[in-house]
Amino acid sequence: MSSLNPEHPQDAPTEVAALIETSAAANDALMRGDIATYNALIRLAPDFVLMSPFGGAPSHGSEYTPDRIEAMGRFFRGGALTQELVASWVGRDMAVLATIEHARHVGVGGLPTQDWALRVTQVYRRRAGTWDLVHRHADPLAHGVSLEAAAALGRGAAAP
């Protein structure tokens, strides 16, 4: 991954553009089940936190053992992803990407292939000249839900 040069803050647009491209390429590889390419492009920070689109308790970097990472690669199959940038922010050692991920024809967890759209926030921290992914939050609400459905989800009930 590219790094933001703190001596040249004017490079920030170029550096965040490279980070955006890397994020898109990594998540596209993941949708194909290509965990090797994903791992080559994304480095999880030791204190990484994932808030998955399926809800539940957040997971943490220490839980991402080699076996779990390999299982992630098997969870997705055959898809392709495009990333729509909503906004990005970059500072000296932190960058945030707000995106909509559009996965096409992806098999997820044994379900038949389908299209998925996720709203995603990714937070990266610069360490030793590279960007580490420190936080990812995704939800499947890109198409919106009714107030009643959101309320049901918020209280832990099945959406109407």
Side-chain angles (χ1 to χ4, degrees):
M1 295 211 167
S2 60
S3 63
L4 176 63
N5 184 342
E7 302 302 317
H8 301 283
Q10 70 276 10
D11 293 341
T14 301
E15 299 300 335
V16 79
L19 186 60
I20 292 163
E21 288 178 25
T22 299
S23 168
N27 289 305
D28 179 54
L30 186 60
M31 291 302 102
R32 292 190 310 273
D34 181 358
I35 198 66
T37 297
Y38 178 85
N39 281 334
L41 294 171
I42 297 292
R43 186 169 78 177
L44 300 181
D47 57 345
F48 171 71
V49 174
L50 172 67
M51 297 176 115
S52 132
F54 312 117
S59 58
H60 299 273
S62 61
E63 299 170 42
Y64 288 87
T65 63
D67 287 343
R68 182 165 182 183
I69 290 170
E70 287 298 319
M72 276 176 40
R74 292 187 302 273
F75 192 69
F76 301 98
R77 68 183 188 293
L81 181 132
T82 58
Q83 179 177 272
E84 174 189 341
L85 181 66
V86 175
S88 65
W89 302 271
V90 65
R92 182 180 193 129
D93 291 319
M94 183 125 338
V96 178
L97 306 180
T99 63
I100 308 276
E101 292 181 350
H102 300 277
R104 305 286 184 234
H105 309 293
V106 63
V108 178
L111 294 176
T113 61
Q114 65 180 36
D115 293 348
W116 290 72
L118 298 176
R119 301 182 318 165
V120 178
T121 302
Q122 296 177 96
V123 179
Y124 292 86
R125 181 177 54 224
R126 189 171 67 91
R127 181 175 65 107
T130 63
W131 289 107
D132 289 355
L133 182 59
V134 70
H135 177 66
R136 177 180 166 92
H137 178 251
D139 71 51
L141 302 176
H143 299 294
V145 296
S146 69
L147 175 61
E148 293 77 16
L153 292 169
R155 67 177 176 272

